[in-house]
Amino acid sequence: RDLDAVIWNPNTWACILAHERQALDIIFAKIQIAWDNIEPLVKERFLSLPKTDNKNELYWRDTNSKIYVALEVQGGTNHIVHFSEYAQIDEQRIATTLPTVPTDGVIVIESTPRGMGNRFYREWLDAERGENQYAPHFYPWWWDPEEYRLPIKTVTKDNLITEERNLIDLYGIDLEQIEWRRDQWKKQQQSDGSNLFAQEFPEDSVSCLSASTKVGTAQGIYTIDNLPIGALCDHGIVGNKSWMGRKSVFDVSTRNGFTIRATSDHLVAL
């Protein structure tokens, strides 16, 4: 989409902001592949060849349009800014980049959530409530039906667990995709007992946000998904846990300028 906007519209600049240096070449390689695979006859008839002022940009001098990948932007005008892995970009870089987008420009934010409480989490919730200018779009891992699958080795119709059956019934996932899911689940298992699958390969817009949130207990620190029944926490012993659905979230501000975000049934000590 970013490349299309640049090559078909004069005086259009698009920036993809990477979250880390090693991602610069990876992201730009995808842009280069997209450009290289445009039909040659279309290029010959309608498009000029881009110039490259640095290795992570394509610039069309005759139309003054550019697409580039950067770690930080200060000054200038970008008609499109695409934040890649937004939750991992520090807020200072975000703050210096946003003013480069005009009021009629486009801001795209994409990210794995990286838990609750960060800027991406807050802006996602605000977007779902219609409290900012962003339109939320959630894409589960099976949105790409070709990439995330493996030849069947362990999965049968008889050994499916309830969670797997629900995915098949609700979303039409096949057994090769379930095979990949099982394999990836094992790979995302951490030494502390937590599992990052829900964070790295989200299946809904709620569990992926809360998956990496951790709870301190007398036995150690656990993610919510792996919090054991019987663990001793500050408020007592965990007797049971279950998904309670979506709840309204409130911001509680103190006189000293601190803000706590909580649900109506969440105890807060001030």
Side-chain angles (χ1 to χ4, degrees), residues 109 120 123-139 205 246:
I109 294 173
F120 176 76
E123 294 188 0
W124 173 268
L125 291 183
D126 287 345
E128 286 193 313
R129 295 192 294 260
E131 296 177 359
N132 60 27
Q133 296 298 310
Y134 297 116
H137 300 278
F138 175 76
Y139 302 99
S205 64
R246 295 173 181 265

Side-chain angles (χ1 to χ4, degrees), residues 196-212:
L196 299 181
F197 180 86
Q199 173 182 287
E200 299 300 321
F201 301 98
E203 297 182 340
D204 63 76
S205 64
V206 177
S207 62
C208 66
L209 289 167
S210 62
S212 61

Side-chain angles (χ1 to χ4, degrees), residues 22 24 32 56 70 78 99 105 133 150 157 166 189 204-205 218 220-221 232 252 263 269:
Q22 67 185 41
L24 291 170
Q32 188 68 60
N56 289 319
N78 290 291
Q133 296 298 310
L150 285 173
K157 292 183 178 179
N166 288 340
Q189 189 68 39
D204 63 76
S205 64
I221 299 176
L232 178 62
V252 181
T263 57

Side-chain angles (χ1 to χ4, degrees), residues 83-95:
F83 292 96
S84 179
E85 291 296 347
Y86 187 79
Q88 299 183 66
I89 301 175
D90 65 80
E91 296 204 15
Q92 180 61 40
R93 287 197 286 144
I94 295 172

Side-chain angles (χ1 to χ4, degrees), residues 4-265:
D4 282 345
V6 168
I7 62 178
W8 297 113
N9 296 282
N11 302 309
T12 300
W13 285 28
C15 170
I16 294 90
L17 202 77
H19 70 291
E20 61 182 5
R21 187 169 299 279
Q22 67 185 41
L24 291 170
D25 292 341
I26 296 173
I27 296 173
F28 185 74
K30 296 178 181 180
I31 298 172
Q32 188 68 60
I33 290 172
W35 168 255
D36 290 342
N37 283 277
I38 292 177
E39 176 62 43
L41 289 178
V42 173
K43 285 184 180 179
E44 181 179 339
R45 184 171 180 179
F46 299 106
L47 303 172
S48 62
L49 292 178
K51 305 295 182 180
T52 303
D53 292 336
N54 67 60
K55 69 174 184 176
N56 289 319
E57 76 169 33
L58 296 176
Y59 177 49
W60 288 264
R61 296 186 187 278
D62 57 336
T63 61
N64 187 37
S65 289
K66 177 196 289 189
I67 185 168
Y68 66 104
V69 187
L71 285 174
E72 186 172 5
V73 178
Q74 293 184 349
T77 299
N78 290 291
H79 305 89
I80 302 169
V81 166
H82 180 148
F83 292 96
S84 179
E85 291 296 347
Y86 187 79
Q88 299 183 66
I89 301 175
D90 65 80
E91 296 204 15
Q92 180 61 40
R93 287 197 286 144
I94 295 172
T96 59
T97 302
L98 286 174
T100 70
V101 185
T103 55
D104 61 347
V106 176
I107 299 173
V108 178
I109 294 173
E110 53 90 356
S111 188
T112 46
R114 300 293 169 180
M116 303 169 71
N118 58 49
R119 182 169 180 150
F120 176 76
Y121 171 79
R122 298 192 301 270
E123 294 188 0
W124 173 268
L125 291 183
D126 287 345
E128 286 193 313
R129 295 192 294 260
E131 296 177 359
N132 60 27
Q133 296 298 310
Y134 297 116
H137 300 278
F138 175 76
Y139 302 99
W141 60 263
W142 59 81
W143 192 63
D144 185 341
E146 300 302 323
E147 181 174 357
Y148 301 118
R149 60 175 61 248
L150 285 173
I152 297 174
K153 292 183 65 176
T154 66
V155 177
T156 68
K157 292 183 178 179
D158 296 327
N159 68 11
L160 294 170
I161 62 175
T162 301
E163 200 172 72
E164 294 168 343
R165 292 184 185 277
N166 288 340
L167 290 174
I168 291 173
D169 293 341
L170 291 172
Y171 305 109
I173 292 174
D174 60 38
L175 296 185
E176 288 188 348
Q177 290 171 297
I178 295 296
E179 184 75 43
W180 173 88
R181 185 181 187 273
R182 287 187 185 181
D183 180 72
Q184 195 58 231
W185 186 275
K186 292 179 180 178
K187 292 177 180 177
Q188 294 296 328
Q189 189 68 39
Q190 307 298 299
S191 58
D192 64 359
S194 63
N195 193 296
L196 299 181
F197 180 86
Q199 173 182 287
E200 299 300 321
F201 301 98
E203 297 182 340
D204 63 76
S205 64
V206 177
S207 62
C208 66
L209 289 167
S210 62
S212 61
T213 301
K214 297 186 177 181
V215 178
T217 73
Q219 291 85 2
I221 299 176
Y222 296 89
T223 59
I224 288 178
D225 284 348
N226 293 282
L227 182 64
I229 304 300
L232 178 62
C233 303
D234 289 343
H235 299 290
I237 296 175
V238 178
N240 191 19
K241 60 178 183 178
S242 60
W243 167 241
M244 301 298 292
R246 295 173 181 265
K247 299 181 180 181
S248 297
V249 179
F250 301 90
D251 287 336
V252 181
S253 299
T254 70
R255 292 181 179 179
N256 295 327
F258 296 100
T259 300
I260 301 170
R261 177 160 285 188
T263 57
S264 59
D265 59 351

